[in-house]
Amino acid sequence: MKLYDYAMAPNPRRVRIFLAEKGIEIPVEQVDLRERQNVGDDYLAINQYGTVPLLELDNGKHICESIAICRYFEAVQPDPALMGSDPEEQARIEMFQRLVELNGLMPAGEAFRNSHPAFEGRGMAGPLTMAQSPDLAERGTIRVGKFFEKLDNELKNKEFIAGDKYSIADITGLVAIDFAGWSKLVPTDSQVNLKAWYDRVNARPSAKA
Amino acid sequence: MKLYDYAMAPNPRRVRIFLAEKGIEIPVEQVDLRERQNVGDDYLAINQYGTVPLLELDNGKHICESIAICRYFEAVQPDPALMGSDPEEQARIEMFQRLVELNGLMPAGEAFRNSHPAFEGRGMAGPLTMAQSPDLAERGTIRVGKFFEKLDNELKNKEFIAGDKYSIADITGLVAIDFAGWSKLVPTDSQVNLKAWYDRVNARPSAKA
């Protein structure tokens, strides 16, 4: 088993944090995104989407998509549960994971990729050539601002995003906020719930993974 | 228990098909998106994101996000399994569900919302006012074309998207293709694997849900 990773990228970090919380160690191979190794023939042969992370199983099969990789490890080692342990908790955690991903992590990526000069012609992850879109950079920026507001509101009476337990929703949230910071999008000083939560999850040893 | 639904919209249809495949019937209440009931105060009070579908549990709690709602029903009634029954299958189905959602359903929505005159000032689902983006409409159109190509390729030797069993990935795929059709984006005649698969899943009674 092996994880294809890129140390600097936000999505592989989600899996690394997840594994650190589970106490699972597996071999890791770096795929250099700056050198565009992810869209080279060798890599596209095992992942036609050209994305990292990618999990290679012992039977030679591959699983891409961070959350699908996390699901695999949640199923093989349920403890500690990071995706919920009863139907309602599973649904609630999945809901928040998705909300944070769709409204925070993705807009942060759209803002960054569509404005940073290094991504000219690569307005999307993967092998597709795509012009940067100033519209999308602006929309991403607006949406990240709204995301901070809503998440601050959600965290008013909760220790973690999905309730009283740390979960995969917190992992996506932490990574989303750090990724938004690449575009200098940061919570305001008045968003005290959000900031206290951030400090809480960022202080866990897994945050360094 | 109650499902907030809107009969014409793609996302609630995912949940309705899922429930039909499970043979689960629950009370349904329509939220009229054309009348903007979803961004009215009453609805925002139970779902600040202003989206449908929304599941109201018997304890009064609410779960939004189609896939999170499906997860709840998968956990309370595992049979027939639509999200996998062992770790590898669960991961593979989640991977394909996400790939189809991210690369098919979402671009189809971006193409439609950012070009149709009825969505002026509402380039995004939910309560946020957002100008339509011609860039995003174009990007969505290109991405849907690529999605058809890749899915046709994936289906070369498979009966269903995630393998030999019908799963939630097929539900998202069916809904994505029908939604893309709203913008007159349709598979080409040469995409025979994709067309055969579409006919197969569309012929199931659940497709009418």
Side-chain angles (χ1 to χ4, degrees):
Chain A
M1 185 176 293
K2 175 164 72 172
L3 182 70
Y4 291 91
D5 179 29
Y6 182 55
M8 280 173 58
N11 277 308
R13 186 179 172 216
R14 298 162 82 181
V15 173
R16 294 196 310 268
I17 296 176
F18 191 92
L19 292 175
E21 289 282 344
K22 292 262 184 201
I24 297 173
E25 289 187 32
I26 62 167
V28 166
E29 181 173 326
Q30 296 294 311
V31 179
D32 193 329
L33 301 194
R34 269 189 308 194
E35 298 293 330
R36 311 216 64 199
Q37 234 183 315
N38 60 312
V39 292
D41 292 344
D42 288 354
Y43 193 73
L44 288 179
I46 54 170
N47 178 9
Q48 65 165 326
Y49 300 96
T51 52
V52 286
L54 178 74
L55 179 66
E56 185 168 281
L57 297 172
D58 288 335
N59 63 11
K61 299 271 178 70
H62 294 92
I63 301 290
C64 67
E65 286 297 319
S66 307
I67 299 301
I69 295 172
C70 293
R71 178 79 55 195
Y72 177 80
F73 289 109
E74 181 82 357
V76 294
Q77 189 197 297
D79 192 44
L82 297 171
M83 299 171 109
S85 25
D86 64 61
E88 187 179 333
E89 196 182 57
Q90 284 172 31
R92 192 173 65 245
I93 289 171
E94 181 135 8
M95 169 179 80
F96 279 114
Q97 195 294 122
R98 288 179 58 92
L99 288 169
V100 170
E101 178 176 274
L102 295 169
N103 299 325
L105 187 63
M106 287 186 189
E110 288 169 356
F112 183 72
R113 287 195 85 96
N114 288 283
S115 60
H116 196 285
F119 290 89
E120 203 185 320
R122 299 194 284 132
M124 287 208 49
L128 203 56
T129 300
M130 187 72 82
Q132 288 177 309
S133 160
D135 278 10
L136 202 48
E138 190 193 337
R139 187 182 278 205
T141 301
I142 295 168
R143 292 181 65 203
V144 167
K146 288 282 164 194
F147 163 70
F148 289 157
E149 272 178 37
K150 282 199 158 59
L151 192 52
D152 182 61
N153 191 39
E154 290 283 3
L155 287 163
K156 205 167 285 176
N157 298 303
K158 287 190 294 192
E159 193 172 349
F160 296 109
I161 292 178
D164 58 2
K165 278 187 237 164
Y166 179 90
S167 77
I168 193 169
D170 298 292
I171 296 175
T172 302
L174 174 69
V175 171
I177 289 190
D178 286 345
F179 193 21
W182 293 17
S183 302
K184 309 216 187 315
L185 304 171
V186 293
T188 64
D189 286 340
S190 66
Q191 288 162 348
V192 292
N193 309 307
L194 181 55
K195 282 170 159 268
W197 163 84
Y198 179 88
D199 290 343
R200 214 147 49 224
V201 296
N202 195 43
R204 298 169 77 96
S206 64
K208 294 183 184 60
Chain B
M1 185 176 293
K2 174 162 73 170
L3 181 71
Y4 290 91
D5 180 29
Y6 182 55
M8 279 173 59
N11 277 308
R13 186 179 172 217
R14 298 163 82 182
V15 174
R16 294 197 309 268
I17 296 176
F18 191 92
L19 293 175
E21 289 282 344
K22 292 262 185 201
I24 297 172
E25 288 187 31
I26 63 166
V28 166
E29 182 172 327
Q30 296 295 312
V31 180
D32 194 328
L33 301 195
R34 270 189 309 194
E35 297 293 331
R36 313 216 62 198
Q37 234 183 316
N38 61 311
V39 292
D41 291 344
D42 288 354
Y43 192 73
L44 288 180
I46 54 170
N47 177 10
Q48 65 164 326
Y49 301 94
T51 52
V52 285
L54 179 72
L55 179 66
E56 185 168 281
L57 297 172
D58 288 336
N59 63 10
K61 299 269 178 72
H62 294 92
I63 302 290
C64 67
E65 286 296 319
S66 307
I67 300 299
I69 295 172
C70 293
R71 179 79 54 194
Y72 177 80
F73 289 108
E74 182 82 357
V76 294
Q77 188 197 299
D79 192 44
L82 297 171
M83 298 171 109
S85 24
D86 64 61
E88 187 179 331
E89 195 181 59
Q90 284 172 31
R92 192 173 64 244
I93 290 171
E94 181 135 8
M95 169 178 79
F96 279 114
Q97 195 294 122
R98 288 178 58 91
L99 288 170
V100 170
E101 177 175 275
L102 295 169
N103 298 326
L105 187 64
M106 287 186 189
E110 287 169 356
F112 183 72
R113 286 194 86 96
N114 288 283
S115 61
H116 195 285
F119 289 89
E120 203 184 319
R122 299 193 285 130
M124 287 208 48
L128 203 57
T129 301
M130 187 71 81
Q132 288 177 309
S133 160
D135 278 10
L136 202 46
E138 190 193 337
R139 188 182 277 207
T141 300
I142 295 168
R143 292 181 64 202
V144 167
K146 287 283 165 195
F147 163 70
F148 289 157
E149 271 177 39
K150 281 199 159 60
L151 192 53
D152 182 61
N153 191 38
E154 290 284 5
L155 286 163
K156 204 168 285 176
N157 298 304
K158 288 191 294 191
E159 192 170 349
F160 297 109
I161 293 178
D164 57 2
K165 278 188 237 164
Y166 180 91
S167 77
I168 194 169
D170 298 293
I171 297 175
T172 302
L174 175 69
V175 171
I177 288 190
D178 286 345
F179 193 21
W182 293 16
S183 303
K184 309 216 187 316
L185 303 171
V186 293
T188 64
D189 286 339
S190 65
Q191 287 162 347
V192 291
N193 309 308
L194 180 55
K195 282 171 159 266
W197 162 85
Y198 179 88
D199 291 343
R200 213 146 49 224
V201 297
N202 195 44
R204 297 169 78 96
S206 64
K208 296 184 182 61

